[in-house]
Amino acid sequence: MRILHVCSELYPLLKTGGLADVAGALPLALNRQGADTRVLLPGFPAILAGFHSAAEVVRLQTFAGPARLLFGHTEDGVALYVIDAPQLYERIGNPYHDAQQEAYADNYLRFALLGWVAAQLAGGLDGWWRPEVVHGHDWHAGLMPAYLASQGRPVKSVFTIHNLAYQGLFPSRCFAELDLPASFFSLHGLEYHGQLSFMKAGIFYADRITTVSPSYAREITTPEQGCGLDGLLRDRSSNLFGILNGVDEAVWNPSTDDAIAEHYSAAKQAGKVKCKARLQGQMGLAVTEDKPLFAVVSRLTEQKGLHLILAGLGEITARGGQIVVLGSGDAWMENAFRAAAEADPANIAVKIGYDERFAHQIMAGSDIIMVPSRYEPCGLTQLYGLKYGALPLVRRVGGLADTVVDCSLENLTDGIATGMVFDEFSENGLTQAVRRAFALWSRPKDWKTVRRTGMQQDFGWHAAAEQYLALYRAL
Ligand code: ADP
């Protein structure tokens, strides 16, 4: 089956979040199960630099100016179509906004073109390869199903919501430039309270909608988590499915990871001790096995609930723990974490920035990875924590609720506990979970059992790939 994925980032070429990890791993997982998968991406500098044997498929004149469609492969063997349109994409740094964090004013054109080219490929733009299903990811690809609908739906479409909060909203005047039928700008279309919504377009026009965990699929149909689109999602709920993301074991595996101090596995965990000592030393923390080392690897945004961690730092250090933080994002949060580290450098270490290798070293060196999100569509960080023996301490929401089992007495007794889970999105909720972490730490035998259970969980991509293939087949 020929599948075209449409998205805006792809690991290892360009990554701002979990979406890139999915785009990098899912196509290969689908191919391993017999599919013929290609990915369509905008020609951002990092994408153009990272793919090989690029051949020109076609030159296009479009509503967003001239463009060339290229075809090639990444080093990992992912087949890529890339839209080379320098006037839109040749901008260094973040793909969505400038250095001042301002979204680019022409984002509606930059990402409409992505959806438009996808629809052209579905219509036979490349004489050598034509997809049978087109699968778009997040608002950047939201117009793809709309363009397909405007062409009489030559192939079926799937649209995956990775994060409903980012919707791609633009003023209504932008619509006239996008080469879509005027009738599409309506309540039964892509209009959203007088604006143009790429996310709504994806949800409204796609044949099937998926999101990245079963819990999030339910949550987004409620007013609390529906970000204003819950009504439409309820209408479409018979075509809405939750499929959990996986872990790319070629990238995230402590028994083969070349970024970490020593390899280890669920069966042989000794190497983790060295990874912890290396991390503590590197970050200027007191080097000791005795203190539980908490960790955060995250975008520093409101969504991730990190203000709860800021408020809970005293609880962690007063009880004899340490914490290491890697993240970048909101300036006030970056400053608050920096200030906390300066005040207690033996126990709190902070690195502001984005550092893929260091993220691996933190997973390997820490004892607990904290993800206290307000909402979390799937969350990959806690899955990496499980894999690396860093017990996830998470809020019971979205994909976190679907992947971590609290170390309550009954779960410990049944041998299914893998971490710490709390409900209330408050400092008190987090503190209760931190206390539970210390209680478990004081029972080393139980700690090791929980760690082993977590490391033995199977979150490989094969399960997700099977479910996506079943969905494509049904279409
Ligand atoms: P989201 O996509 O909402 O940011 P996920 O948990 O799904 O959250 O994915 C986050 C991904 O980004 C993970 O691979 C995580 O390791 C990575 N990540 C987040 N912040 C950083 C950072 N500062 N440095 C390196 N990797 C990071």
Side-chain angles (χ1 to χ4, degrees), residues 84-396:
D84 183 24
Q87 76 279 13
L88 299 175
Y89 304 131
E90 197 179 52
R91 298 170 203 177
I92 300 298
N94 186 286
Y96 315 117
H97 56 69
D98 62 21
Q100 284 69 48
Q101 311 277 323
E102 287 288 326
Y104 288 117
D106 58 352
N107 270 351
Y108 68 102
L109 284 176
R110 301 171 81 219
F111 295 105
L113 185 66
L114 181 66
W116 183 84
V117 173
Q120 301 308 307
L121 279 164
L125 184 66
D126 180 351
W128 296 96
W129 193 90
R130 186 174 175 171
E132 291 163 282
V133 176
V134 187
H135 185 161
H137 299 269
D138 264 355
W139 76 262
H140 321 104
L143 290 197
M144 171 274 288
Y147 284 115
L148 283 179
S150 77
Q151 294 173 14
R153 300 181 183 260
V155 303
K156 301 284 186 183
S157 61
V158 177
F159 179 66
T160 295
I161 301 166
H162 294 262
N163 193 335
L164 189 61
Y166 300 90
Q167 300 197 347
L169 285 173
F170 300 97
S172 57
R173 65 181 147 71
C174 299
F175 177 75
E177 293 177 54
L178 301 185
D179 205 12
L180 281 164
S183 62
F184 279 32
F185 194 80
S186 83
L187 180 65
H188 300 290
L190 43 71
E191 183 263 352
Y192 180 76
H193 296 290
Q195 290 182 291
L196 158 65
S197 167
F198 278 46
M199 179 63 88
K200 186 183 168 199
I203 297 170
F204 185 84
Y205 289 105
D207 293 298
R208 296 286 186 279
I209 305 143
T210 72
T211 186
V212 288
S213 70
S215 285
Y216 193 59
R218 280 190 300 277
E219 290 163 0
I220 57 178
T221 62
T222 66
E224 297 74 48
Q225 294 228 40
C227 301
L229 290 168
D230 47 293
L232 175 60
L233 286 161
R234 279 195 299 280
D235 284 351
R236 300 230 51 202
S237 59
S238 59
N239 286 309
L240 169 64
F241 305 93
I243 299 178
L244 209 54
N245 284 335
V247 171
D248 187 345
E249 289 175 355
V251 181
W252 293 95
N253 184 346
S255 61
T256 54
D257 192 332
D258 71 0
I260 65 177
E262 190 156 313
H263 291 155
Y264 61 95
S265 64
K268 285 193 177 158
Q269 301 186 9
K272 192 164 169 71
V273 176
K274 192 160 171 193
C275 295
K276 179 171 175 178
R278 172 80 62 88
L279 178 61
Q280 288 167 321
Q282 199 180 341
M283 293 306 283
L285 296 168
V287 178
T288 163
E289 260 185 66
D290 300 338
K291 291 175 174 246
L293 177 52
F294 290 71
V296 172
V297 177
S298 184
R299 292 185 291 120
L300 302 181
T301 64
E302 152 71 16
Q303 174 201 340
K304 299 293 181 179
L306 299 177
H307 58 288
L308 301 182
I309 292 183
L310 276 167
L313 286 175
E315 182 77 29
I316 291 173
T317 54
R319 287 179 179 272
Q322 298 174 322
I323 179 164
V324 54
V325 177
L326 167 65
S328 64
D330 294 354
W332 77 265
M333 237 186 256
E334 292 185 352
N335 292 335
F337 275 115
R338 272 199 202 99
E342 273 163 29
D344 186 0
N347 294 311
I348 304 177
V350 172
K351 179 168 178 181
I352 299 300
Y354 193 94
D355 186 336
E356 191 74 26
R357 268 181 93 76
F358 193 46
H360 286 242
Q361 289 156 8
I362 290 184
M363 294 296 170
S366 61
D367 298 301
I368 300 128
I369 182 86
M370 304 173 86
V371 195
S373 304
R374 182 184 288 282
Y375 68 92
E376 193 60 72
C378 175
L380 290 169
T381 317
Q382 84 282 10
L383 300 183
Y384 301 151
L386 286 168
K387 192 96 197 137
Y388 281 66
L391 275 53
L393 186 158
V394 305
R395 183 158 171 258
R396 196 187 316 277

